[in-house]
Amino acid sequence: RSLHKTLEPTLEEFYATINNTIAHGGNIIIPSFALERAQELLYYLREGIEGGQLPAYLPVFLDSPMAISATQIFQRHPECFDKETCEVFTSGQDPFMFSGLHFTQDTADSMALNNIVGGAVIIAGSGMCTGGRITHHLKHGLWNRKNTIIFVGFAAYGTLARRIVDGAKTVKIFGEEIPVKASIFT
């Protein structure tokens, strides 16, 4: 028996969670692996925007130099994709790009994302929250009830991601106890 939902209800829940968080003035923080998972997220965010399930202009920040590089490699090799994705490329579109997407390369730009009060999606690594830029976004966003953290990958036992998913009331980030008040989705 699989613990995974099928794609359609998962996407419906993903879009509804984003819309609900934006409506309540919060940010959506998504810990993600840089290779494949980040690109899947961009693909489905673009699909949601184009399909009207998400706002026409949704500020999305891919805050991972490795994920940005991987996305650029993916963009240069449309021949490696399945038929559906190839059709997006051949129609003249880029399946990973949309008007609200911002690539955040610099550390200073990454830090500035923590000043966004609400209405943005921030995708950063690492997926298990064991390091990387996501730890800073969690430190600045976990305590806020308006925010939502969406886990889209595996969270191994003993990782910060697993502690949050399992319902920890507080977590230690950079030696500081941070209350977990944001909504948590998997």
Side-chain angles (χ1 to χ4, degrees):
R1 172 162 105 65
S2 174
L3 296 176
H4 297 286
K5 296 177 218 148
T6 58
L7 183 60
E8 191 65 32
T10 298
L11 286 175
E12 287 174 15
E13 182 182 358
F14 182 61
Y15 297 148
T17 300
I18 291 171
N19 286 320
N20 187 46
T21 303
I22 290 169
H24 289 95
N27 288 326
I28 300 90
I29 301 168
I30 306 176
S32 178
F33 298 99
L35 301 175
E36 293 188 22
R37 186 68 63 182
Q39 292 74 36
E40 284 178 324
L41 286 166
L42 296 179
Y43 181 90
Y44 289 117
L45 287 166
R46 181 196 53 80
E47 290 268 302
I49 291 165
E50 288 180 5
Q53 293 100 326
L54 293 172
Y57 182 81
L58 177 65
V60 174
F61 298 89
L62 183 57
D63 188 23
S64 166
M66 185 187 295
I68 292 166
S69 295
T71 302
Q72 292 165 339
I73 292 168
F74 278 49
Q75 290 168 319
R76 290 195 298 269
H77 294 281
E79 73 279 4
C80 295
F81 294 101
D82 62 20
K83 185 179 178 221
E84 181 183 331
T85 308
C86 278
E87 287 172 2
V88 175
F89 272 113
T90 56
S91 74
Q93 290 181 292
D94 184 324
F96 310 113
M97 296 297 289
F98 44 92
S99 63
L101 178 61
H102 308 275
F103 287 163
T104 310
Q105 287 275 16
D106 298 338
T107 303
D109 292 338
S110 175
M111 290 168 50
L113 297 180
N114 294 314
N115 297 324
I116 298 173
V117 185
V121 175
I122 300 167
I123 303 167
S126 80
M128 291 198 213
C129 307
T130 54
R133 293 180 175 183
I134 195 66
T135 53
H136 296 277
H137 298 305
L138 292 173
K139 179 182 176 188
H140 292 278
L142 264 177
W143 58 267
N144 189 334
R145 292 181 196 285
K146 292 181 180 181
N147 293 338
T148 297
I149 316 301
I150 303 177
F151 290 93
V152 294
F154 178 72
Y157 179 78
T159 63
L160 176 58
R162 174 51 55 198
R163 288 193 298 281
I164 295 169
V165 167
D166 285 347
K169 300 291 181 223
T170 65
V171 292
K172 194 172 275 197
I173 302 175
F174 303 121
E176 186 179 335
E177 285 293 328
I178 307 295
V180 179
K181 305 227 181 206
S183 298
I184 308 299
F185 286 87
T186 58

